[in-house]
Amino acid sequence: MLNALTAEPNDATAQEIHGRLVARGDAVGLATVYRTLALLSRHGVVDALMHHAGEVCYRLCSEGHHHHLVCGACHRVVELGDCDLDGWLSGLAAEHGFTVSAHTVEVTGTCADCLAA
Amino acid sequence: MLNALTAEPNDATAQEIHGRLVARGDAVGLATVYRTLALLSRHGVVDALMHHAGEVCYRLCSEGHHHHLVCGACHRVVELGDCDLDGWLSGLAAEHGFTVSAHTVEVTGTCADCLAA
DNA sequence: GATGAGAATGAAAACCATTCTCGTATTCGC
DNA sequence: GCGAATACGAGAATGGTTTTCATTCTCATC
């Protein structure tokens, strides 16, 4: 299961992961994939992304706070490690009486390879 | 239809909007609500948010580029107008060979009222 | 005022990702 | 080896969203 995820360079939906496992010969059930992904997600081992409505993508990520840079054409994902938004956001939010507990940033663009193609 | 959205202070799911319209006496079909929301969303009149998986929330927003500050407790939404991330992100993305086309930021926190409660 | 083409609408069915159920298989402690 | 507890897989159920299709509305034309 974890092997399958580490083999995924980019993000994948639960269905894709399941399909790939089955194609590979592992007779794993769809339910188990969902169960495992939910578990891993809850423990912060994988990140759950929802760029398009109706389905969730999972990705094996580094543990710390980070954001994602996604290529709109080929779906390649790069992690952005340094994030100095917390201070800025806290101040901005405080103007509205909010206390910030979390924030997510998702950047979409085009990677060099797709730009050349 | 637009009237219904302007009456929504915060974000609402398509189902909520439909329910409210029906309760108000407008015999509008669920399909029409979805159609109209998709149309408005495509034209940038309303924003589509998906903070939790499985359903989409819509919100009538100002037209320019902005982000959302959402209260995790009461779902109140505040727009954050000024966004000086573009330059920073472009530079960061360029390091990975990416050309940034868009970015979304979603901040979750607790508003003053909910913090007091 | 009647007519007809084309778009808009509503009700119900279809879809599809996700979750639940339940019977079976496996594991762990004893 | 035995029993309890857990994990698993297959299929059914769920629920938000989309599609279908027959009907209704719009409106320009006759």
Side-chain angles (χ1 to χ4, degrees), chain B residues 27-32 35-36:
Chain B
V28 69
L30 190 53
T32 307
R35 266 189 291 248
T36 312

Side-chain angles (χ1 to χ4, degrees), chain A residues 50-74:
Chain A
M50 346 183 223
H51 5 235
H52 19 28
E55 59 183 13
V56 185
C57 287
Y58 293 92
R59 180 159 197 280
L60 191 60
C61 281
S62 63
E63 293 196 16
H65 175 73
H66 64 271
H67 300 303
H68 292 122
L69 174 57
V70 186
C71 173
C74 68

Side-chain angles (χ1 to χ4, degrees), chain A:
Chain A
M1 182 71 213
L2 273 173
N3 296 337
L5 268 175
T6 48
E8 286 288 343
N10 298 326
D11 55 351
T13 66
Q15 312 261 351
E16 284 170 351
I17 294 172
H18 173 245
R20 217 150 308 185
L21 281 171
V22 169
R24 182 202 285 193
D26 297 3
V28 68
L30 190 53
T32 307
V33 174
Y34 277 104
R35 265 190 292 247
T36 312
L37 284 174
L39 187 72
L40 292 175
S41 174
R42 205 166 334 113
H43 284 259
V45 183
V46 300
D47 277 19
L49 314 173
M50 346 183 223
H51 5 235
H52 19 28
E55 59 183 13
V56 185
C57 287
Y58 293 92
R59 180 159 197 280
L60 191 60
C61 281
S62 63
E63 293 196 16
H65 175 73
H66 64 271
H67 300 303
H68 292 122
L69 174 57
V70 186
C71 173
C74 68
H75 267 215
R76 182 196 307 211
V77 179
V78 174
E79 291 185 27
L80 299 177
D82 31 321
C83 163
D84 51 1
L85 264 58
D86 252 326
W88 175 62
L89 285 176
S90 294
L92 204 56
E95 293 176 18
H96 299 281
F98 274 64
T99 307
V100 174
S101 61
H103 71 267
T104 62
V105 179
E106 197 148 326
V107 190
T108 57
T110 314
C111 71
D113 293 354
C114 291
L115 209 55

